[in-house]
Amino acid sequence: MIDLKSMTLEEMGAYLKTGGEPAFRAKQIFTWLHRGAGSFEEMTNLSKALREKLAAECLITRPQVARKQVSALDGTTKYLWRLEDGNCIETVLMRYHHGNTVCISSQVGCRMGCAFCASTLGGKVRDLTPAEMLDQVLFTGLDSGVPISNIVLMGIGEPLDNFDTVLRFLELVNHPEGLNIGMRHISLSTCGLADQIDKLADYKLQLTLSVSLHAPDDETRSHIMPVNRAVGVERLFAACRRYFETTGRRISYEYAMIDGVNDSDWQADLLARHLKGTPGHVNLIPLNEVKESPLKPSRRVAAFQKRLESHGITVTVRRKLGGDIDASCGQLRRKAMQEG
Ligand code: SAH
């Protein structure tokens, strides 16, 4: 079956042309799919014959709500979606003053192995398709009834490990005939795959790149993030500098504060040294405890922030949302898997 929703408008046009349909039909179908249409039958501006042909040859993905948890504290909503093949992924809807943000997954599971992250505990099952990424934005908007203005690729999975799909998703979600979400309203978070950061830079997208740094020295970083053994801090920062020079976009460095692991003053000093000369800012994240992990939240967040600021670094501390609903990476999927 053909997955039309994963196609660009041009590809859809080419597919329709083989059946003798005019190009403007592609636009009609594209619009229907990007509004969340669940069947070809609903596409009433297409002929019955075309609708039947499409239904015979194509599928329309539509995730089912497997679980939904709404935070009583701040309205943060976490969706556990069941995909066509039974796999589950998570999407989080966060309500901010500057707009509603969805945090979406890019893979079923993850193979990066970060010691503090629940998403990676069962490894990677498979990559998501462009349609499955788009569906998270579409159906979170439709189910919650709130308009979505921002997207962060910070859910389950490593986006740059599913590179082509993620690029296509960005093209689709940014499309004027679709959801039309501007690149400046999109953030992509990576554990730091340096080669892929280089590759991404060449597209000169105006999105925000977040790098999950979590430690400024190789010993600590390799200990908590196995990916660092192949990349290394020097190479990662070199890629970040090139990224800024190519795109003109400041990088945001994510830093989850872990007790006794990455929260010393010397690490703040080293981090500041790495960042010298490249504009960027540091986002300190209070660690969310994962019950399978011995790592504990740091008690030095404010001190670490001060130390960084003393070097002239811009630092923010992430506000915790959805603390009552397993809202951080992979926790709800994990729970559902354990409960069968
Ligand atoms: N693979 C991508 C995106 C998914 S993780 C990446 O690594 O960036 C999204 C962010 O949540 C990353 O910064 C990740 O390091 C962080 N994170 C994962 N588990 C966490 C935890 N238990 N507490 C705080 N932050 C966590």
Side-chain angles (χ1 to χ4, degrees):
M1 296 288 261
I2 296 167
D3 175 12
L4 281 181
K5 214 191 289 178
S6 285
M7 286 186 182
T8 62
L9 187 56
E10 294 70 32
E11 287 170 339
M12 236 182 248
Y15 160 71
L16 289 166
K17 214 171 139 198
T18 60
E21 292 291 335
F24 70 85
R25 293 264 176 256
K27 218 183 223 178
Q28 293 173 319
I29 298 169
F30 190 91
T31 307
W32 279 111
L33 291 174
H34 287 240
R35 274 194 214 140
S39 72
F40 293 105
E41 238 161 276
E42 305 167 33
M43 304 183 183
T44 44
N45 54 357
L46 307 180
S47 71
K48 195 155 166 28
L50 178 58
R51 279 184 273 161
E52 280 168 5
K53 174 186 145 77
L54 292 174
E57 293 178 6
C58 307
L59 58 87
I60 301 180
T61 53
R62 182 173 201 149
Q64 302 300 317
V65 179
R67 282 195 195 194
K68 177 176 164 181
Q69 299 186 354
V70 183
S71 167
L73 304 172
D74 50 45
T76 298
T77 306
K78 182 142 196 173
Y79 288 94
L80 184 73
W81 300 106
R82 189 173 300 106
L83 306 175
E84 250 66 32
D85 65 355
N87 276 306
C88 289
I89 51 162
E90 296 174 18
T91 305
V92 187
L93 169 66
M94 293 162 290
R95 291 147 187 258
Y96 294 110
H97 298 299
H98 60 266
N100 299 309
T101 301
V102 284
C103 173
I104 66 168
S105 299
S106 55
Q107 297 177 316
V108 179
C110 183
R111 63 190 184 110
M112 296 298 141
C114 299
F116 43 80
C117 181
S119 297
T120 203
L121 289 167
K124 181 183 116 173
V125 178
R126 69 169 173 87
D127 287 329
L128 293 184
T129 63
E132 287 168 334
M133 293 190 67
L134 188 67
D135 283 343
Q136 295 174 65
V137 186
L138 275 175
F139 292 107
T140 297
L142 288 173
D143 183 86
S144 64
V146 308
I148 308 293
S149 49
N150 302 283
I151 300 173
V152 296
L153 277 77
M154 284 194 189
I156 297 173
E158 167 49 46
L160 298 187
D161 188 39
N162 188 11
F163 194 91
D164 294 342
T165 294
V166 165
L167 266 193
R168 176 176 291 238
F169 160 74
L170 292 171
E171 182 183 340
L172 293 177
V173 83
N174 182 234
H175 201 285
E177 303 291 336
L179 289 176
N180 199 14
I181 295 180
M183 284 293 168
R184 283 172 184 266
H185 295 258
I186 301 176
S187 295
L188 186 156
S189 182
T190 176
C191 63
L193 304 178
D195 292 347
Q196 280 87 329
I197 291 175
D198 282 342
K199 207 166 130 190
L200 183 67
D202 291 333
Y203 291 89
K204 297 192 169 62
L205 301 175
Q206 293 300 294
L207 52 73
T208 301
L209 184 66
S210 293
V211 171
S212 298
L213 187 66
H214 306 319
D217 59 292
D218 279 323
E219 194 187 336
T220 311
R221 194 161 193 271
S222 293
H223 177 61
I224 54 176
M225 300 180 74
V227 64
N228 193 66
R229 293 173 204 155
V231 178
V233 168
E234 283 303 332
R235 195 157 146 235
L236 175 55
F237 277 110
C240 291
R241 275 191 292 275
R242 280 193 297 273
Y243 188 89
F244 172 72
E245 283 156 16
T246 312
T247 63
R249 302 287 295 163
R250 283 160 198 257
I251 290 177
S252 162
Y253 296 91
E254 309 295 303
Y255 201 104
M257 298 291 295
I258 310 171
D259 186 42
V261 174
N262 64 0
D263 59 352
S264 303
D265 282 343
W266 70 265
Q267 285 161 319
D269 298 342
L270 181 58
L271 175 53
R273 221 175 309 144
H274 283 303
L275 293 180
K276 226 176 200 116
T278 342
H281 98 276
V282 176
N283 190 211
L284 299 178
I285 312 171
L287 184 79
N288 274 303
E289 274 193 83
V290 171
K291 84 172 184 301
E292 288 88 344
S293 160
L295 302 173
K296 297 282 169 253
S298 169
R299 292 156 292 182
R300 297 198 75 247
V301 179
F304 197 84
Q305 173 180 18
K306 249 197 169 142
R307 187 86 178 190
L308 279 173
E309 283 170 348
S310 76
H311 294 289
I313 307 288
T314 316
V315 187
T316 48
V317 178
R318 185 176 293 174
R319 189 160 63 94
K320 192 168 172 158
L321 292 176
D324 53 338
I325 57 160
D326 303 304
S328 39
C329 295
Q331 290 183 1
L332 184 58
R333 173 168 174 264
R334 184 100 197 126
K335 195 157 130 189
M337 275 162 68
Q338 282 162 348
E339 291 168 11

